[in-house]
Amino acid sequence: MAPHRKPRPAGTRMAGIRTPGLATAALTSVALLSQTANAAPPADDKPSLEEVEKKVDDLYRQAESATEKYNAAKEKTTKQRTRVGSLLDEVAQRTQKLNDARERLGSFAAAQYRTGASAPDTTTFLLADSPQDYFDQTQLMSRLTDHQKDAVDAYATEQAATTTKRQEASQSLETLTESQSALKTAKATVQHKLATARELLSNLTAEEKARLAAIEKEKQAAADRKAEELARQQAAAAQQAAPQDSASGSGSTSGSTGTSGSTGSSGSTGSTSSSGSAGSSYATKAGKALAFARAQIGKPYVWGATGPGSYDCSGFTQAVWKAAGVTLPRTTYDQVNAGTTVSLSNIQPGDLVFFYDDISHVGLYIGNGMMIHAPKPGAYVREESIFYDGESAIHSVVRPA
């Protein structure tokens, strides 16, 4: 009877023992369940500490970039308003003059109508006391006609030009106002995102806050180490240059070599020992800028602010160099072009350090690889390493005077 038996299906139980096929399937199911359990958490779970930190940093960057764009639009709008105001004053003056001229033309026409002298003719000749009187009246009417034509032509020309200028000014001002309004709206949006990020931070547990503080502390320590390394490099360069200066009879460092930045590593305000060089002139101005900058430490960052109670980053650098008698443009985009670009190795106290590809941040170098800057919303003017966001974040260094 054996031949008629059907073969037993693979994977069935025999005496309570699972066959290899079923065991393999079960193991596969367990593995899949394990992978599912270890997969990314649902979207409604709160972000990780690293994600929160990155989000906050990104939002601060966006806020500062928007601030510089707002500053540029505000400055342009202010200039445009001044120009439009002058133009409208000129238009009003011209319009008044033209109205006066039109009234005179009306008086001429009324006089001609009353006297019937709109066109000298035979009747005028007969009514004239003498041929000479007729001749004088004819010449007068001719002159009045010429004046009228010239006045009308001038009125029409100036009226058209004035109207065109008024329209252009109004359109330009409207465009700038709309742009500024859009930037304000964008700024408000970023501020809302910042508030959301701050809320996330406030919801962290005490342990998470401690971990985040440790991460920030390590980032700051790394930045400080980079600053110390730069200071050592500049000090070594200065020592190497000193024998050469002595041999050449200069007896001092030259501002053109850029090594005078090493004086910052000794804790000074960046002045060099050269009393008659260009470097000494720059150091004098830089010293005034740095002294003013240090007096601002602790004041809050406020977007669009230029002092004296609060600053944004470019408002701060503009104010400190103004204290040294040097006028800088308002925004980072313009300040980066307001001076001489130097290498990072040749940086001196007083130089401006610009950050990021969009040139959205700037600080004032004070030596030792450190700067004073207005960092970001919610922070205060402070000293910090120029490597606070990594060396790759440094865009350029500019000497403004």
Side-chain angles (χ1 to χ4, degrees), residues 15 180 210 221 257 294 344:
Q180 183 176 351
T257 64
R294 289 191 171 96
L344 184 60

Side-chain angles (χ1 to χ4, degrees), residues 5-307:
R5 290 180 180 177
K6 295 181 179 180
R8 188 181 298 276
T12 58
R13 287 182 179 273
M14 294 181 62
I17 301 176
R18 192 182 299 276
T19 63
L22 186 56
T24 300
L27 291 173
T28 301
S29 298
V30 171
L32 289 173
L33 288 171
S34 177
Q35 290 176 4
T36 302
N38 294 327
D44 58 350
D45 281 0
K46 72 177 183 180
S48 68
L49 200 62
E50 290 74 14
E51 290 172 337
V52 170
E53 182 189 29
K54 184 179 185 305
K55 182 176 181 180
V56 172
D57 288 344
D58 288 346
L59 289 171
Y60 279 142
R61 283 280 318 281
Q62 293 174 32
E64 193 162 33
S65 180
T67 294
E68 290 305 310
K69 291 178 181 178
Y70 170 82
N71 291 338
K74 182 179 179 181
E75 184 178 40
K76 186 180 294 185
T77 301
T78 300
K79 291 180 179 178
Q80 184 70 7
R81 281 176 176 161
T82 300
R83 189 178 74 84
V84 170
S86 299
L87 179 60
L88 292 178
D89 287 342
E90 182 181 353
V91 168
Q93 294 172 2
R94 287 181 177 179
T95 301
Q96 183 60 48
K97 291 180 180 179
L98 293 175
N99 287 339
D100 293 343
R102 184 168 55 187
E103 290 179 4
R104 287 195 297 272
L105 289 176
S107 299
F108 293 154
Q112 292 174 14
Y113 178 78
R114 288 193 302 270
T115 61
S118 57
D121 53 17
T122 306
T123 302
T124 305
F125 175 77
L126 294 175
L127 293 176
D129 294 336
S130 67
Q132 183 62 44
D133 289 340
Y134 172 78
F135 177 78
D136 292 341
Q137 291 179 30
T138 301
Q139 292 298 313
L140 176 61
M141 291 305 302
S142 175
R143 287 196 298 274
L144 287 176
T145 302
D146 290 341
H147 286 319
Q148 288 174 332
K149 183 177 182 303
D150 291 343
V152 169
D153 290 343
Y155 180 88
T157 300
E158 290 210 28
Q159 181 66 19
T162 300
T163 300
T164 299
K165 289 182 180 180
R166 182 189 290 116
Q167 291 174 344
E168 290 176 354
S170 298
Q171 291 172 357
S172 180
L173 181 58
E174 181 179 353
T175 299
L176 287 172
T177 301
E178 290 175 354
S179 176
Q180 183 176 351
S181 177
L183 287 170
K184 286 183 178 180
T185 301
K187 180 67 177 184
T189 301
V190 173
Q191 287 181 320
H192 174 70
K193 292 179 180 179
L194 289 174
T196 303
R198 285 195 294 268
E199 183 178 357
L200 288 174
L201 289 172
S202 67
N203 290 334
L204 294 177
T205 65
E207 181 182 355
E208 289 172 330
K209 290 179 180 179
R211 284 173 51 205
L212 185 60
I215 292 174
E216 291 295 329
K217 186 175 181 180
E218 177 54 35
K219 287 175 61 177
Q220 183 178 359
D224 290 343
R225 288 193 294 271
K226 287 288 295 181
E228 292 171 358
E229 179 183 350
L230 175 62
R232 285 194 298 269
Q233 292 173 352
Q234 289 187 320
Q239 290 177 356
Q240 185 177 1
Q244 299 176 2
D245 292 338
S246 178
S248 64
S250 66
S252 62
T253 58
S254 171
S256 62
T257 64
T259 58
S260 60
S262 62
T263 59
S265 65
S266 64
S268 69
T269 60
S271 60
T272 65
S273 58
S274 173
S275 59
S277 66
S280 178
S281 173
Y282 177 73
T284 299
K285 294 177 182 178
K288 294 178 180 179
L290 267 62
F292 181 88
R294 289 191 171 96
Q296 311 312 304
I297 291 176
K299 294 183 178 181
Y301 177 105
V302 174
W303 67 275
T306 58

Side-chain angles (χ1 to χ4, degrees), residues 384-395:
E384 193 163 21
S385 168
I386 62 173
F387 303 103
Y388 77 104
D389 205 15
E391 186 171 358
S392 62
I394 297 177
H395 176 274

Side-chain angles (χ1 to χ4, degrees), residues 366-378:
I366 61 173
N368 280 326
M370 304 292 288
M371 67 178 173
I372 300 177
H373 67 149
K376 57 187 177 181

